[in-house]
Amino acid sequence: MMQKQWRLAARPEGIPDRSHFALTDAPIPSVQPGKAVAKTLYLGVAPVMLRYMRNETEFESPLELGTLMPGRGVAQIIESNCEGLPVGAIVQARLGWQEYVLIDESDRPAPFLLPTDLPLSHGIGAVSLSGITALVGVRDIGKVARTDRILVSGAAGGVGSHVAEIAKALGAQEVVGIAGGPEKCTRLQRDMAYDHVIDYKNEDVDVALDRLFPDGIDLYFDNVGGALLDNILARLRRRARIVICGSISEYLTEKENKHRFINLQNLGRQDAKMEGFFVFDYEDVYPQCLEMLATWVREGALNPVEDISQGIETLPDALADLYLGNNIGVRMVEVGQPDLPLASLSPV
Ligand code: NAP
């Protein structure tokens, strides 16, 4: 029996397109001792994947041309020799861009079981790494407080779409989001709990920031980096926190053209902190975060926004969408449907 896989065909210089990938056929794997075979249901895309394709990350081994595209997703276990991964269970794991995968429990970050009472797609979004990233960023790095004046960039993206609801579930009162375009800004207020929005593509950001933050910003959750981050550095209140989650505005910029910061000294003047984090380093808090996120979804405090296309063929377009600004919420691809009854394990 054969399956489809996407492999890296060429290294993109700019935004990736279909010519950088090859859709190939490969045998469906057989189960092996200590491993399980899973059927892919959803695959997520993340901005960092472009950096894998360009071999720009230190934390992943080099991605050779011709190799399977890496990626995490949601899958159902269909054959198993792993005690912790029973047949029928739904897992979030490193699957790669393929329809069937051999899963190893010892992979790091480890595959984790997902609740089956929630939409399975949440297992690549809110009740998964996008949700955990937003939660760790707001709570553990940003140390959100009730009275904070909060700004989020990339607010309508996969991580950003969860930040306002999570900040409010943790006690925050008001959150401002920045995103590109009127449709995203409408959705920020209607579906993602943002109180005020700034459309950076159609309004003067300085004027909007002056109006919304006349006394400065306490907490900035940054997904885009670059010139906007520099602007915010100049607008910090005392003891402000900047959470460096990502810098998508600079991922395609050559080193010599990256933004040169002029307002960094303001961190010292304002007794403020700027701290980055990498969600894979927080594996020890995943179970507790997943439980919290799943509870918020069940209670209606967290309402995930997902942007789903159908079929494994759409994966290259899904990745390009992140850089084209086309996605609203967590961009993912539905690759298949479960064939077996869902194993009634409710881990979180
Ligand atoms: P995402 O925000 O859904 O990324 C796509 C969005 O980024 C686009 O819709 C677009 O929104 C915005 N964008 C694209 N190019 C841009 C540019 N040149 N300038 C400004 N905005 C641009 O992706 P995500 O997965 O949620 O990730 C958000 C950020 O967090 C990324 O930087 C990612 O690398 C980072 N991240 C970090 C961790 C961690 O462990 N720290 C984990 C996951 C993700 P607009 O149309 O609104 O511009």
Side-chain angles (χ1 to χ4, degrees), residues 46-48 133 154 157-160 179-180 184 200-201 223-224 245-249 251 277-279 322-323 325-327 329:
V48 72
T133 303
V159 174
K184 286 188 180 183
Y200 77 93
K201 288 187 177 161
N223 285 308
V224 308
C245 176
S247 327
I248 194 170
S249 73
Y251 291 166
F277 72 106
F278 184 38
V279 70
L322 301 178
Y323 283 90
N326 287 341
N327 65 306

Side-chain angles (χ1 to χ4, degrees), residues 196-229:
H196 306 280
V197 294
I198 302 172
D199 176 354
Y200 77 93
K201 288 187 177 161
N202 293 296
E203 60 183 302
D204 184 323
V205 173
D206 280 311
V207 171
L209 289 171
D210 288 346
R211 172 171 50 82
L212 292 166
F213 295 96
D215 302 317
I217 293 166
D218 295 295
L219 175 56
Y220 177 45
F221 190 108
D222 186 23
N223 285 308
V224 308
L228 179 61
L229 171 58

Side-chain angles (χ1 to χ4, degrees), residues 133-176:
T133 303
L135 177 54
V136 167
V138 172
R139 182 190 63 184
D140 304 337
I141 312 295
K143 308 218 177 329
V144 66
R146 197 180 63 80
T147 53
D148 278 346
R149 292 139 207 217
I150 305 170
L151 177 69
V152 181
S153 62
V159 174
S161 61
H162 302 112
V163 172
E165 288 186 316
I166 289 175
K168 288 183 178 181
L170 294 169
Q173 312 256 288
E174 254 193 18
V175 187
V176 178

Side-chain angles (χ1 to χ4, degrees), residues 162-298:
H162 302 112
V163 172
E165 288 186 316
I166 289 175
K168 288 183 178 181
L170 294 169
Q173 312 256 288
E174 254 193 18
V175 187
V176 178
I178 302 190
E183 189 189 354
K184 286 188 180 183
C185 288
T186 302
R187 297 283 305 274
L188 283 181
Q189 286 188 292
R190 197 186 72 195
D191 303 329
M192 305 175 206
Y194 283 90
D195 301 283
H196 306 280
V197 294
I198 302 172
D199 176 354
Y200 77 93
K201 288 187 177 161
N202 293 296
E203 60 183 302
D204 184 323
V205 173
D206 280 311
V207 171
L209 289 171
D210 288 346
R211 172 171 50 82
L212 292 166
F213 295 96
D215 302 317
I217 293 166
D218 295 295
L219 175 56
Y220 177 45
F221 190 108
D222 186 23
N223 285 308
V224 308
L228 179 61
L229 171 58
D230 211 2
N231 190 341
I232 304 309
L233 277 162
R235 296 169 178 275
L236 298 178
R237 300 187 81 213
R238 286 201 70 70
R239 303 270 160 94
R241 285 88 57 210
I242 296 181
V243 178
I244 302 293
C245 176
S247 327
I248 194 170
S249 73
E250 303 231 85
Y251 291 166
L252 286 172
T253 310
E254 296 307 325
K255 202 170 177 186
E256 59 276 16
N257 296 325
K258 289 204 192 286
H259 183 81
R260 291 195 168 77
F261 286 83
I262 56 173
N263 294 314
L264 278 170
Q265 280 182 351
N266 211 30
L267 286 171
R269 262 184 233 122
Q270 294 295 54
D271 197 4
K273 286 194 172 66
M274 179 159 78
E275 185 176 349
F277 72 106
F278 184 38
V279 70
F280 289 167
D281 291 337
Y282 288 78
E283 217 184 323
D284 55 331
V285 298
Y286 285 8
Q288 177 258 339
C289 287
L290 291 170
E291 189 178 332
M292 226 166 166
L293 292 161
T295 302
W296 283 332
V297 174
R298 290 185 189 111

